[in-house]
Amino acid sequence: MFGESFSLFRVLGFEIRANVTWLFLALLVTWSLAAGFFPFVYPDLAPLTYWMMALVGMLGLFFSLLFHELSHSVVARAYGIPVRRITLFLFGGVAEMEAEPKEPRIEFWMAIAGPIASVVLGVAFYLLALTMVAVGFPEHIAGVARYLGFINMLLAIFNMVPGFPLDGGRVLRATLWQMKGDIRWATRWATRMGQGFGLLLVALGLASFIAGNFVGGMWWFLIGMFVYAAAAASYQQLLTQQALAGRTVRRFMTADPVSVPAETRIEEFVNEYLYHHNFDRFPVVRGQRLLGSIGLAEVREVPRDDWQRTRVGDVCQQNIQENTIEADMKADEALNQMQKTRSVRLMVTEGERLVGILVLKDLLRYLDVRAELEPD
Ligand SMILES: [Zn+2]
């Protein structure tokens, strides 16, 4: 999501990453605290003091987001759902779960853990601020702790808005799911609320922008767009998963695909395969064993004079991890793999043997037909 991420450190066994967009958020927060918020609340201090306070505030925000996501992750792991990593990005943090919760009860506790953690941390920061004033720290130093207390409360409140995929939306979905036992219905309502909330933020952002608050307005506009898109995508993803549930790659693949024996010469490959069939890429086999794949790109590498001598097996692309899948894998995992690698065709294997080709178009056609016959 949002391009490059880099690994920072590990904590409690979770890999913590920051997306490049987090740097933008960090700069924006530091700048607005140093040049706006702190000078407004505590006037007449040295500029360097404001920048130091802002820096601590930004690091505190980083810690607060991490604390929130860690609480989701710890609860998820306790329920047996592995968390791949935690990534901080432009709009906060996200814990990447490897599976969706199987029961409403689990989803409820996983979701509510984050806001609870933020409230606890918020109270802790407020108490810290009170203690600091009591033992004689200057008001503005304690003010940084007070600001972080406020930020954590805000984080809890914002996340409890009942629109999926926010935490409150997950709590709502879990509750509806528990009530009716229908995850699809529950997800539909929770994501609709999420889309509604997203649009509301977009509208507020625009109004705020027009009123002259450019940075704040743009900020809410972007968050609104993000929430809206994420809500819509979550529902779509659930529909896809449900439609493909329990079906393997074998069910959708085309068996006995056109394949090129490794000893075929390039000349023959071009005339008999490339010109003859409507495919961009062909599996290359030795006997029945899948060796790799070949397409126009590899042919271009061979000088025309060598077409008679060169064999397909010598020039084919042998790194087949990305465009190969086992016949017994789940169909929705195949779809994930295609999205991740942006490939529209996967070679299907049983062990080392090529048994078929899975084409994205065929999967999508199936999903379209299901959607037509079983509309919402
Ligand atoms: Zn959360």
Side-chain angles (χ1 to χ4, degrees):
M1 186 168 26
F2 297 102
E4 248 357 80
S5 291
F6 40 92
S7 196
L8 295 177
F9 48 83
R10 294 186 76 85
V11 53
L12 299 174
F14 302 109
E15 185 195 357
I16 312 299
R17 296 167 71 84
N19 186 266
V20 284
T21 55
W22 157 259
L23 293 177
F24 180 74
L25 177 67
L27 286 174
L28 186 70
V29 166
T30 311
W31 170 73
S32 66
L33 284 179
F37 182 74
F38 286 139
F40 177 75
V41 183
Y42 307 102
D44 302 325
L45 298 172
L48 184 65
T49 309
Y50 290 132
W51 282 100
M52 295 295 281
M53 289 162 70
L55 197 65
V56 175
M58 184 272 285
L59 292 174
L61 173 67
F62 178 88
F63 173 73
S64 302
L65 291 172
L66 198 58
F67 191 74
H68 178 105
E69 295 307 326
L70 274 174
S71 67
H72 285 308
S73 308
V74 167
V75 174
R77 189 168 60 186
Y79 279 116
I81 297 175
V83 176
R84 201 170 305 162
R85 58 205 174 195
I86 294 170
T87 306
L88 297 179
F89 72 114
L90 185 59
F91 302 126
V94 58
E96 293 173 44
M97 318 269 169
E98 295 208 11
E100 285 284 314
K102 297 261 182 291
E103 285 172 47
R105 190 175 52 92
I106 299 177
E107 167 145 73
F108 179 85
W109 289 114
M110 258 170 59
I112 203 122
I116 289 178
S118 292
V119 168
V120 169
L121 192 59
V123 170
F125 272 123
Y126 276 125
L127 290 178
L128 177 66
L130 287 178
T131 314
M132 285 169 90
V133 172
V135 300
F137 275 96
E139 188 60 32
H140 65 273
I141 300 290
V144 179
R146 197 172 295 123
Y147 160 77
L148 288 171
F150 169 74
I151 283 294
N152 274 281
M153 292 303 180
L154 200 66
L155 215 58
I157 293 169
F158 180 81
N159 275 293
M160 275 313 283
V161 168
F164 203 89
L166 297 175
D167 297 336
R170 286 186 171 272
V171 168
L172 174 67
R173 174 167 89 159
T175 311
L176 295 176
W177 182 7
Q178 178 75 38
M179 275 165 50
K180 243 187 151 182
D182 182 349
I183 187 179
R184 183 161 154 179
W185 175 78
T187 308
R188 184 161 76 233
W189 282 103
T191 51
R192 270 188 193 166
M193 294 283 286
Q195 285 176 291
F197 178 59
L199 289 180
L200 182 71
L201 288 182
V202 166
L204 287 176
L206 283 177
S208 177
F209 192 88
I210 290 165
N213 178 5
F214 298 116
V215 176
M218 187 125 95
W219 189 245
W220 289 116
F221 179 85
L222 287 175
I223 292 189
M225 294 285 283
F226 175 71
V227 169
Y228 180 85
S234 303
Y235 184 52
Q236 207 49 49
Q237 195 188 350
L238 177 91
L239 289 185
T240 305
Q241 265 170 6
Q242 284 202 325
L244 296 178
R247 292 177 169 79
T248 60
V249 167
R250 195 187 302 279
R251 157 75 178 71
F252 298 100
M253 73 182 191
T254 305
D256 300 320
V258 176
S259 58
V260 192
E263 54 276 13
T264 312
R265 291 165 204 279
I266 296 291
E267 176 89 48
E268 189 190 344
F269 168 67
V270 170
N271 290 323
E272 305 289 319
Y273 291 88
L274 218 43
Y275 286 159
H276 204 75
H277 298 278
N278 262 331
F279 308 131
D280 296 330
R281 201 150 255 293
F282 297 78
V284 177
V285 291
R286 180 159 281 146
Q288 288 199 311
R289 192 168 74 87
L290 179 65
L291 198 68
S293 68
I294 188 164
L296 196 55
E298 287 78 20
V299 171
R300 273 211 211 97
E301 295 291 304
V302 182
R304 198 156 196 134
D305 292 344
D306 295 340
W307 279 16
Q308 269 301 341
R309 281 185 292 134
T310 313
R311 294 173 191 274
V312 163
D314 299 328
V315 295
C316 71
Q317 208 236 90
Q318 299 206 13
N319 177 16
I320 51 176
Q321 286 265 312
E322 286 211 329
N323 50 11
T324 308
I325 193 159
E326 278 280 322
D328 292 323
M329 291 287 277
K330 290 187 195 139
D332 60 331
E333 279 176 37
L335 198 60
N336 281 345
Q337 186 174 335
M338 285 172 159
Q339 274 161 357
K340 228 184 299 168
T341 61
R342 299 212 171 93
S343 56
V344 293
R345 289 158 60 83
L346 295 179
M347 299 183 285
V348 184
T349 53
E350 255 171 25
E352 294 196 315
R353 207 159 62 88
L354 176 76
V355 293
I357 287 277
L358 182 69
V359 184
L360 179 62
K361 214 170 51 183
D362 295 341
L363 269 179
L364 295 181
R365 186 185 302 127
Y366 172 79
L367 290 173
D368 277 349
V369 172
R370 287 259 320 205
E372 283 286 322
L373 294 177
E374 297 165 36
D376 299 339

